[in-house]
Amino acid sequence: MRKAIVHLSHTLGQAGEHYVIGEIIAAAPSALNGDDAAVMYPATPNSRTVASTDMMVEGRHFRRDWSTPNEIGQKAILRNFADVEAMGARPTAALLAIAAPADTPVNFVRGIAEGIGLRCAFYNAELVGGDLTRSKELVITVTAIGSLGGSQEPLVLSGARPGQKVVSHGKIGYSAAGLALLQEFGRDLPPEHEELWPLIDAHCNPWLKPGRGVIARATGATAMTDNSDGLVPDIGTMAKQSNVHIDLNSHAIAPDSLLVTAGAVLGIDPWEWVLTGGEDHTLVATTQKDAPSGFRVIGTVNRGTGLTIDGNKPRYASGWQSL
């Protein structure tokens, strides 16, 4: 019998599991991928393993008319690798599980894998395995694995101490502003507002410079988180876990000119994006020493409890809710 020829233009249901898995491996190759499980070896002496997992659901975390498959794949990895970085660890590998309707194009899934492979390459990490199954909704789940080297403690949320500085690396409020622009204009941003494209890019394909978490831990940081749910909720959680009072400096976190322009276009206070937007995956840490390379000081850690901005209650505090 003549064997059917499968093309990338076929759907998952037409192509079958083994063909699609082969396309994923081809798009994000690794010598560790292809067996029942991947065997990982410690990257450095005296190292510990860090693991994190995160899901992205179509319609809640991404939309196909707003993001390319490549961007979706990169975003899926960044969300997870940022959590590994926030512990002061180095991402080394990822596992990918996709649940998708049978009519999903194979080319779409391969595009996701290509984005994952591209973002993994920035971290010198690999996609080492995963799973594929049929479902009514498209759900992408990534499990990230990292290596925490040396004898220093991981950068847990409970590690902030009075007398320290609060420092951050990355943009704040950009992803939320990009989402608001997409909700208003879709991906067809009017030419007169083309200067706002970096905000849309920040939502569809957020960026975090690799290695900042490792540097922060090596230079004396004691606590860290990534801004995924919103600056106020995430730093508020750190303050609560550490039983300290954190006061942010409004001048240090103030909306920049791009956020102010977007706010004027949409009629939204840009402070709402900065304080509660989330999904920037900005790294926020506490340290007794000077700000690590690539970080800037945005506040102080004091005795007491709670979170304030210039000593006052934040004007926005809701943040992103997963449920």
Side-chain angles (χ1 to χ4, degrees), residues 89-136:
R90 182 178 71 83
T92 56
L95 300 167
L96 169 67
I98 297 179
D103 61 358
T104 303
V106 174
N107 207 27
F108 179 82
V109 174
R110 182 179 173 112
I112 291 173
E114 288 173 346
I116 288 174
L118 179 62
R119 186 56 66 97
C120 281
F122 285 117
Y123 286 87
N124 196 29
E126 296 178 286
L127 180 65
V128 299
D131 192 25
L132 180 67
T133 191
R134 182 183 299 188
S135 71
K136 293 181 179 180

mmCIF file of all heavy atoms in Angstrom, residues 89-136:
data_model
loop_
_atom_site.group_PDB
_atom_site.id
_atom_site.type_symbol
_atom_site.label_atom_id
_atom_site.label_comp_id
_atom_site.label_asym_id
_atom_site.label_seq_id
_atom_site.Cartn_x
_atom_site.Cartn_y
_atom_site.Cartn_z
ATOM 1 N N ALA A 89 18.944 31.263 39.466
ATOM 2 C CA ALA A 89 19.438 30.069 38.785
ATOM 3 C C ALA A 89 19.573 30.299 37.282
ATOM 4 O O ALA A 89 19.050 31.273 36.738
ATOM 5 C CB ALA A 89 18.514 28.888 39.050
ATOM 6 N N ARG A 90 20.241 29.373 36.621
ATOM 7 C CA ARG A 90 20.430 29.437 35.172
ATOM 8 C C ARG A 90 19.551 28.398 34.493
ATOM 9 O O ARG A 90 19.666 27.209 34.771
ATOM 10 C CB ARG A 90 21.898 29.179 34.815
ATOM 11 C CG ARG A 90 22.199 29.264 33.323
ATOM 12 C CD ARG A 90 23.670 29.054 33.054
ATOM 13 N NE ARG A 90 24.095 27.679 33.274
ATOM 14 C CZ ARG A 90 23.956 26.700 32.375
ATOM 15 N NH1 ARG A 90 23.389 26.940 31.203
ATOM 16 N NH2 ARG A 90 24.393 25.478 32.658
ATOM 17 N N PRO A 91 18.644 28.819 33.595
ATOM 18 C CA PRO A 91 17.819 27.841 32.869
ATOM 19 C C PRO A 91 18.689 26.934 32.008
ATOM 20 O O PRO A 91 19.603 27.400 31.323
ATOM 21 C CB PRO A 91 16.919 28.722 32.002
ATOM 22 C CG PRO A 91 16.911 30.061 32.680
ATOM 23 C CD PRO A 91 18.279 30.203 33.266
ATOM 24 N N THR A 92 18.410 25.648 32.041
ATOM 25 C CA THR A 92 19.207 24.691 31.271
ATOM 26 C C THR A 92 18.374 23.857 30.304
ATOM 27 O O THR A 92 18.899 23.375 29.301
ATOM 28 C CB THR A 92 19.952 23.729 32.213
ATOM 29 O OG1 THR A 92 18.995 23.072 33.066
ATOM 30 C CG2 THR A 92 20.962 24.481 33.073
ATOM 31 N N ALA A 93 17.087 23.664 30.594
ATOM 32 C CA ALA A 93 16.275 22.793 29.740
ATOM 33 C C ALA A 93 14.801 23.108 29.926
ATOM 34 O O ALA A 93 14.397 23.790 30.877
ATOM 35 C CB ALA A 93 16.544 21.322 30.075
ATOM 36 N N ALA A 94 13.995 22.596 28.987
ATOM 37 C CA ALA A 94 12.551 22.790 29.066
ATOM 38 C C ALA A 94 11.838 21.562 28.527
ATOM 39 O O ALA A 94 12.357 20.845 27.660
ATOM 40 C CB ALA A 94 12.129 24.027 28.282
ATOM 41 N N LEU A 95 10.655 21.308 29.057
ATOM 42 C CA LEU A 95 9.749 20.280 28.560
ATOM 43 C C LEU A 95 8.498 20.981 28.032
ATOM 44 O O LEU A 95 8.027 21.952 28.626
ATOM 45 C CB LEU A 95 9.366 19.303 29.667
ATOM 46 C CG LEU A 95 10.517 18.530 30.317
ATOM 47 C CD1 LEU A 95 10.035 17.854 31.598
ATOM 48 C CD2 LEU A 95 11.061 17.493 29.349
ATOM 49 N N LEU A 96 7.957 20.483 26.936
ATOM 50 C CA LEU A 96 6.806 21.106 26.294
ATOM 51 C C LEU A 96 5.659 20.115 26.174
ATOM 52 O O LEU A 96 5.839 19.021 25.632
ATOM 53 C CB LEU A 96 7.191 21.610 24.897
ATOM 54 C CG LEU A 96 6.051 22.053 23.978
ATOM 55 C CD1 LEU A 96 5.381 23.317 24.523
ATOM 56 C CD2 LEU A 96 6.566 22.276 22.560
ATOM 57 N N ALA A 97 4.483 20.503 26.652
ATOM 58 C CA ALA A 97 3.276 19.700 26.464
ATOM 59 C C ALA A 97 2.239 20.566 25.763
ATOM 60 O O ALA A 97 1.989 21.705 26.181
ATOM 61 C CB ALA A 97 2.740 19.203 27.800
ATOM 62 N N ILE A 98 1.662 20.040 24.697
ATOM 63 C CA ILE A 98 0.647 20.771 23.941
ATOM 64 C C ILE A 98 -0.622 19.931 23.870
ATOM 65 O O ILE A 98 -0.590 18.771 23.462
ATOM 66 C CB ILE A 98 1.127 21.099 22.516
ATOM 67 C CG1 ILE A 98 2.348 22.023 22.552
ATOM 68 C CG2 ILE A 98 0.015 21.757 21.703
ATOM 69 C CD1 ILE A 98 2.895 22.370 21.176
ATOM 70 N N ALA A 99 -1.740 20.523 24.284
ATOM 71 C CA ALA A 99 -3.061 19.941 24.081
ATOM 72 C C ALA A 99 -3.761 20.831 23.059
ATOM 73 O O ALA A 99 -3.856 22.050 23.262
ATOM 74 C CB ALA A 99 -3.845 19.901 25.386
ATOM 75 N N ALA A 100 -4.228 20.243 21.959
ATOM 76 C CA ALA A 100 -4.749 21.055 20.861
ATOM 77 C C ALA A 100 -5.872 20.346 20.127
ATOM 78 O O ALA A 100 -5.916 19.105 20.082
ATOM 79 C CB ALA A 100 -3.620 21.390 19.884
ATOM 80 N N PRO A 101 -6.790 21.109 19.524
ATOM 81 C CA PRO A 101 -7.831 20.510 18.687
ATOM 82 C C PRO A 101 -7.206 19.790 17.491
ATOM 83 O O PRO A 101 -6.127 20.162 17.019
ATOM 84 C CB PRO A 101 -8.662 21.720 18.226
ATOM 85 C CG PRO A 101 -8.398 22.773 19.264
ATOM 86 C CD PRO A 101 -6.979 22.567 19.688
ATOM 87 N N ALA A 102 -7.883 18.780 16.986
ATOM 88 C CA ALA A 102 -7.353 17.979 15.882
ATOM 89 C C ALA A 102 -7.183 18.785 14.612
ATOM 90 O O ALA A 102 -6.357 18.442 13.759
ATOM 91 C CB ALA A 102 -8.266 16.780 15.624
ATOM 92 N N ASP A 103 -7.952 19.883 14.455
ATOM 93 C CA ASP A 103 -7.853 20.672 13.231
ATOM 94 C C ASP A 103 -6.773 21.748 13.290
ATOM 95 O O ASP A 103 -6.664 22.583 12.396
ATOM 96 C CB ASP A 103 -9.204 21.306 12.885
ATOM 97 C CG ASP A 103 -9.710 22.269 13.962
ATOM 98 O OD1 ASP A 103 -9.033 22.421 15.000
ATOM 99 O OD2 ASP A 103 -10.795 22.859 13.755
ATOM 100 N N THR A 104 -5.945 21.738 14.348
ATOM 101 C CA THR A 104 -4.826 22.682 14.442
ATOM 102 C C THR A 104 -3.793 22.349 13.373
ATOM 103 O O THR A 104 -3.364 21.201 13.260
ATOM 104 C CB THR A 104 -4.164 22.602 15.827
ATOM 105 O OG1 THR A 104 -5.147 22.849 16.836
ATOM 106 C CG2 THR A 104 -3.036 23.620 15.958
ATOM 107 N N PRO A 105 -3.346 23.337 12.571
ATOM 108 C CA PRO A 105 -2.350 23.056 11.533
ATOM 109 C C PRO A 105 -1.016 22.604 12.135
ATOM 110 O O PRO A 105 -0.563 23.142 13.148
ATOM 111 C CB PRO A 105 -2.195 24.399 10.819
ATOM 112 C CG PRO A 105 -3.461 25.147 11.110
ATOM 113 C CD PRO A 105 -3.857 24.721 12.494
ATOM 114 N N VAL A 106 -0.391 21.632 11.506
ATOM 115 C CA VAL A 106 0.931 21.180 11.934
ATOM 116 C C VAL A 106 1.919 22.343 11.892
ATOM 117 O O VAL A 106 2.775 22.495 12.769
ATOM 118 C CB VAL A 106 1.429 20.022 11.045
ATOM 119 C CG1 VAL A 106 2.870 19.652 11.389
ATOM 120 C CG2 VAL A 106 0.532 18.805 11.199
ATOM 121 N N ASN A 107 1.790 23.174 10.869
ATOM 122 C CA ASN A 107 2.703 24.305 10.705
ATOM 123 C C ASN A 107 2.637 25.256 11.891
ATOM 124 O O ASN A 107 3.630 25.884 12.267
ATOM 125 C CB ASN A 107 2.379 25.052 9.408
ATOM 126 C CG ASN A 107 3.588 25.769 8.849
ATOM 127 O OD1 ASN A 107 4.723 25.362 9.079
ATOM 128 N ND2 ASN A 107 3.341 26.825 8.111
ATOM 129 N N PHE A 108 1.456 25.390 12.500
ATOM 130 C CA PHE A 108 1.294 26.251 13.670
ATOM 131 C C PHE A 108 2.090 25.698 14.850
ATOM 132 O O PHE A 108 2.804 26.437 15.536
ATOM 133 C CB PHE A 108 -0.188 26.359 14.023
ATOM 134 C CG PHE A 108 -0.471 27.209 15.228
ATOM 135 C CD1 PHE A 108 -0.539 28.585 15.125
ATOM 136 C CD2 PHE A 108 -0.659 26.631 16.471
ATOM 137 C CE1 PHE A 108 -0.793 29.374 16.246
ATOM 138 C CE2 PHE A 108 -0.913 27.401 17.592
ATOM 139 C CZ PHE A 108 -0.987 28.781 17.471
ATOM 140 N N VAL A 109 1.999 24.396 15.080
ATOM 141 C CA VAL A 109 2.732 23.772 16.186
ATOM 142 C C VAL A 109 4.232 23.838 15.934
ATOM 143 O O VAL A 109 5.012 24.102 16.849
ATOM 144 C CB VAL A 109 2.261 22.321 16.386
ATOM 145 C CG1 VAL A 109 3.126 21.616 17.427
ATOM 146 C CG2 VAL A 109 0.806 22.282 16.817
ATOM 147 N N ARG A 110 4.646 23.613 14.691
ATOM 148 C CA ARG A 110 6.070 23.717 14.384
ATOM 149 C C ARG A 110 6.566 25.149 14.640
ATOM 150 O O ARG A 110 7.673 25.351 15.147
ATOM 151 C CB ARG A 110 6.357 23.310 12.943
ATOM 152 C CG ARG A 110 7.855 23.383 12.659
ATOM 153 C CD ARG A 110 8.264 22.974 11.277
ATOM 154 N NE ARG A 110 9.688 23.240 11.101
ATOM 155 C CZ ARG A 110 10.628 22.326 10.974
ATOM 156 N NH1 ARG A 110 10.295 21.037 11.017
ATOM 157 N NH2 ARG A 110 11.890 22.657 10.811
ATOM 158 N N GLY A 111 5.752 26.136 14.308
ATOM 159 C CA GLY A 111 6.140 27.518 14.565
ATOM 160 C C GLY A 111 6.350 27.789 16.043
ATOM 161 O O GLY A 111 7.268 28.513 16.438
ATOM 162 N N ILE A 112 5.487 27.218 16.883
ATOM 163 C CA ILE A 112 5.660 27.347 18.334
ATOM 164 C C ILE A 112 6.996 26.742 18.749
ATOM 165 O O ILE A 112 7.760 27.338 19.527
ATOM 166 C CB ILE A 112 4.501 26.663 19.079
ATOM 167 C CG1 ILE A 112 3.200 27.442 18.881
ATOM 168 C CG2 ILE A 112 4.813 26.537 20.571
ATOM 169 C CD1 ILE A 112 1.979 26.758 19.449
ATOM 170 N N ALA A 113 7.287 25.559 18.219
ATOM 171 C CA ALA A 113 8.551 24.886 18.563
ATOM 172 C C ALA A 113 9.753 25.694 18.083
ATOM 173 O O ALA A 113 10.784 25.747 18.763
ATOM 174 C CB ALA A 113 8.567 23.487 17.963
ATOM 175 N N GLU A 114 9.639 26.322 16.917
ATOM 176 C CA GLU A 114 10.736 27.155 16.424
ATOM 177 C C GLU A 114 10.977 28.338 17.343
ATOM 178 O O GLU A 114 12.131 28.708 17.621
ATOM 179 C CB GLU A 114 10.425 27.624 15.005
ATOM 180 C CG GLU A 114 10.527 26.522 13.966
ATOM 181 C CD GLU A 114 10.045 26.948 12.594
ATOM 182 O OE1 GLU A 114 9.377 28.010 12.490
ATOM 183 O OE2 GLU A 114 10.318 26.220 11.622
ATOM 184 N N GLY A 115 9.895 28.949 17.848
ATOM 185 C CA GLY A 115 10.048 30.042 18.808
ATOM 186 C C GLY A 115 10.693 29.574 20.095
ATOM 187 O O GLY A 115 11.550 30.260 20.677
ATOM 188 N N ILE A 116 10.300 28.392 20.560
ATOM 189 C CA ILE A 116 10.905 27.813 21.767
ATOM 190 C C ILE A 116 12.391 27.550 21.543
ATOM 191 O O ILE A 116 13.224 27.879 22.396
ATOM 192 C CB ILE A 116 10.166 26.517 22.151
ATOM 193 C CG1 ILE A 116 8.788 26.863 22.716
ATOM 194 C CG2 ILE A 116 10.976 25.700 23.156
ATOM 195 C CD1 ILE A 116 7.910 25.664 22.986
ATOM 196 N N GLY A 117 12.716 26.977 20.390
ATOM 197 C CA GLY A 117 14.121 26.708 20.098
ATOM 198 C C GLY A 117 14.946 27.976 20.028
ATOM 199 O O GLY A 117 16.076 28.028 20.523
ATOM 200 N N LEU A 118 14.373 29.031 19.438
ATOM 201 C CA LEU A 118 15.090 30.299 19.328
ATOM 202 C C LEU A 118 15.353 30.905 20.696
ATOM 203 O O LEU A 118 16.472 31.336 20.997
ATOM 204 C CB LEU A 118 14.276 31.272 18.465
ATOM 205 C CG LEU A 118 14.873 32.665 18.251
ATOM 206 C CD1 LEU A 118 16.210 32.580 17.534
ATOM 207 C CD2 LEU A 118 13.900 33.540 17.454
ATOM 208 N N ARG A 119 14.329 30.912 21.553
ATOM 209 C CA ARG A 119 14.506 31.513 22.875
ATOM 210 C C ARG A 119 15.415 30.655 23.745
ATOM 211 O O ARG A 119 16.221 31.179 24.517
ATOM 212 C CB ARG A 119 13.142 31.704 23.543
ATOM 213 C CG ARG A 119 13.190 32.463 24.869
ATOM 214 C CD ARG A 119 13.848 33.838 24.731
ATOM 215 N NE ARG A 119 13.088 34.734 23.911
ATOM 216 C CZ ARG A 119 12.234 35.646 24.352
ATOM 217 N NH1 ARG A 119 12.039 35.764 25.653
ATOM 218 N NH2 ARG A 119 11.628 36.453 23.514
ATOM 219 N N CYS A 120 15.318 29.335 23.626
ATOM 220 C CA CYS A 120 16.219 28.454 24.376
ATOM 221 C C CYS A 120 17.675 28.725 24.009
ATOM 222 O O CYS A 120 18.570 28.682 24.862
ATOM 223 C CB CYS A 120 15.886 26.993 24.117
ATOM 224 S SG CYS A 120 14.473 26.355 25.042
ATOM 225 N N ALA A 121 17.917 29.008 22.722
ATOM 226 C CA ALA A 121 19.287 29.244 22.266
ATOM 227 C C ALA A 121 19.908 30.447 22.955
ATOM 228 O O ALA A 121 21.117 30.471 23.218
ATOM 229 C CB ALA A 121 19.307 29.438 20.753
ATOM 230 N N PHE A 122 19.102 31.463 23.273
ATOM 231 C CA PHE A 122 19.622 32.637 23.983
ATOM 232 C C PHE A 122 20.168 32.252 25.353
ATOM 233 O O PHE A 122 21.051 32.907 25.898
ATOM 234 C CB PHE A 122 18.541 33.709 24.137
ATOM 235 C CG PHE A 122 18.241 34.473 22.882
ATOM 236 C CD1 PHE A 122 16.990 34.418 22.304
ATOM 237 C CD2 PHE A 122 19.207 35.257 22.270
ATOM 238 C CE1 PHE A 122 16.696 35.119 21.144
ATOM 239 C CE2 PHE A 122 18.926 35.964 21.115
ATOM 240 C CZ PHE A 122 17.668 35.896 20.548
ATOM 241 N N TYR A 123 19.586 31.210 25.944
ATOM 242 C CA TYR A 123 19.971 30.775 27.292
ATOM 243 C C TYR A 123 20.918 29.579 27.273
ATOM 244 O O TYR A 123 21.254 29.044 28.320
ATOM 245 C CB TYR A 123 18.714 30.413 28.089
ATOM 246 C CG TYR A 123 17.905 31.595 28.530
ATOM 247 C CD1 TYR A 123 16.938 32.153 27.703
ATOM 248 C CD2 TYR A 123 18.098 32.175 29.784
ATOM 249 C CE1 TYR A 123 16.178 33.248 28.105
ATOM 250 C CE2 TYR A 123 17.357 33.260 30.196
ATOM 251 C CZ TYR A 123 16.398 33.796 29.344
ATOM 252 O OH TYR A 123 15.653 34.877 29.744
ATOM 253 N N ASN A 124 21.311 29.147 26.087
ATOM 254 C CA ASN A 124 22.107 27.933 25.956
ATOM 255 C C ASN A 124 21.405 26.760 26.634
ATOM 256 O O ASN A 124 22.020 25.930 27.297
ATOM 257 C CB ASN A 124 23.511 28.142 26.555
ATOM 258 C CG ASN A 124 24.504 27.070 26.120
ATOM 259 O OD1 ASN A 124 24.379 26.496 25.039
ATOM 260 N ND2 ASN A 124 25.479 26.793 26.964
ATOM 261 N N ALA A 125 20.079 26.726 26.457
ATOM 262 C CA ALA A 125 19.250 25.661 27.019
ATOM 263 C C ALA A 125 18.668 24.835 25.874
ATOM 264 O O ALA A 125 18.816 25.186 24.699
ATOM 265 C CB ALA A 125 18.135 26.252 27.873
ATOM 266 N N GLU A 126 17.996 23.739 26.213
ATOM 267 C CA GLU A 126 17.449 22.849 25.195
ATOM 268 C C GLU A 126 16.034 22.408 25.540
ATOM 269 O O GLU A 126 15.685 22.299 26.719
ATOM 270 C CB GLU A 126 18.331 21.599 25.046
ATOM 271 C CG GLU A 126 19.736 21.855 24.557
ATOM 272 C CD GLU A 126 20.545 20.580 24.490
ATOM 273 O OE1 GLU A 126 20.936 20.085 25.561
ATOM 274 O OE2 GLU A 126 20.754 20.059 23.376
ATOM 275 N N LEU A 127 15.239 22.131 24.515
ATOM 276 C CA LEU A 127 13.957 21.478 24.686
ATOM 277 C C LEU A 127 14.219 19.976 24.686
ATOM 278 O O LEU A 127 14.611 19.412 23.668
ATOM 279 C CB LEU A 127 13.000 21.853 23.548
ATOM 280 C CG LEU A 127 11.608 21.226 23.616
ATOM 281 C CD1 LEU A 127 10.843 21.734 24.829
ATOM 282 C CD2 LEU A 127 10.826 21.511 22.332
ATOM 283 N N VAL A 128 14.007 19.326 25.832
ATOM 284 C CA VAL A 128 14.467 17.941 25.985
ATOM 285 C C VAL A 128 13.345 16.904 26.001
ATOM 286 O O VAL A 128 13.609 15.709 26.165
ATOM 287 C CB VAL A 128 15.326 17.790 27.261
ATOM 288 C CG1 VAL A 128 16.564 18.668 27.178
ATOM 289 C CG2 VAL A 128 14.516 18.114 28.516
ATOM 290 N N GLY A 129 12.101 17.319 25.831
ATOM 291 C CA GLY A 129 11.016 16.347 25.811
ATOM 292 C C GLY A 129 9.668 17.013 25.968
ATOM 293 O O GLY A 129 9.565 18.235 25.981
ATOM 294 N N GLY A 130 8.616 16.191 26.063
ATOM 295 C CA GLY A 130 7.281 16.738 26.226
ATOM 296 C C GLY A 130 6.191 15.758 25.890
ATOM 297 O O GLY A 130 6.392 14.533 25.903
ATOM 298 N N ASP A 131 5.021 16.291 25.532
ATOM 299 C CA ASP A 131 3.867 15.449 25.251
ATOM 300 C C ASP A 131 2.922 16.202 24.324
ATOM 301 O O ASP A 131 2.955 17.440 24.237
ATOM 302 C CB ASP A 131 3.143 15.090 26.561
ATOM 303 C CG ASP A 131 2.115 13.991 26.380
ATOM 304 O OD1 ASP A 131 2.260 13.191 25.433
ATOM 305 O OD2 ASP A 131 1.161 13.939 27.178
ATOM 306 N N LEU A 132 2.085 15.439 23.629
ATOM 307 C CA LEU A 132 1.128 16.002 22.681
ATOM 308 C C LEU A 132 -0.170 15.211 22.780
ATOM 309 O O LEU A 132 -0.153 13.976 22.762
ATOM 310 C CB LEU A 132 1.682 15.919 21.251
ATOM 311 C CG LEU A 132 0.823 16.471 20.122
ATOM 312 C CD1 LEU A 132 0.694 17.982 20.237
ATOM 313 C CD2 LEU A 132 1.432 16.094 18.773
ATOM 314 N N THR A 133 -1.307 15.929 22.920
ATOM 315 C CA THR A 133 -2.585 15.241 22.999
ATOM 316 C C THR A 133 -3.689 16.111 22.412
ATOM 317 O O THR A 133 -3.496 17.311 22.190
ATOM 318 C CB THR A 133 -2.924 14.877 24.465
ATOM 319 O OG1 THR A 133 -4.045 13.998 24.492
ATOM 320 C CG2 THR A 133 -3.255 16.131 25.277
ATOM 321 N N ARG A 134 -4.840 15.493 22.150
ATOM 322 C CA ARG A 134 -5.970 16.203 21.568
ATOM 323 C C ARG A 134 -6.849 16.781 22.672
ATOM 324 O O ARG A 134 -7.046 16.156 23.721
ATOM 325 C CB ARG A 134 -6.790 15.258 20.699
ATOM 326 C CG ARG A 134 -7.975 15.924 19.992
ATOM 327 C CD ARG A 134 -8.802 14.930 19.198
ATOM 328 N NE ARG A 134 -8.021 14.272 18.152
ATOM 329 C CZ ARG A 134 -8.554 13.479 17.232
ATOM 330 N NH1 ARG A 134 -9.856 13.230 17.236
ATOM 331 N NH2 ARG A 134 -7.783 12.913 16.321
ATOM 332 N N SER A 135 -7.384 17.983 22.431
ATOM 333 C CA SER A 135 -8.299 18.600 23.393
ATOM 334 C C SER A 135 -9.195 19.593 22.657
ATOM 335 O O SER A 135 -8.973 19.893 21.479
ATOM 336 C CB SER A 135 -7.521 19.320 24.506
ATOM 337 O OG SER A 135 -6.896 20.481 24.000
ATOM 338 N N LYS A 136 -10.188 20.111 23.359
ATOM 339 C CA LYS A 136 -11.082 21.101 22.757
ATOM 340 C C LYS A 136 -10.422 22.469 22.672
ATOM 341 O O LYS A 136 -10.729 23.265 21.780
ATOM 342 C CB LYS A 136 -12.375 21.194 23.574
ATOM 343 C CG LYS A 136 -13.237 19.939 23.511
ATOM 344 C CD LYS A 136 -14.509 20.119 24.310
ATOM 345 C CE LYS A 136 -15.383 18.867 24.236
ATOM 346 N NZ LYS A 136 -16.645 19.022 25.017
#
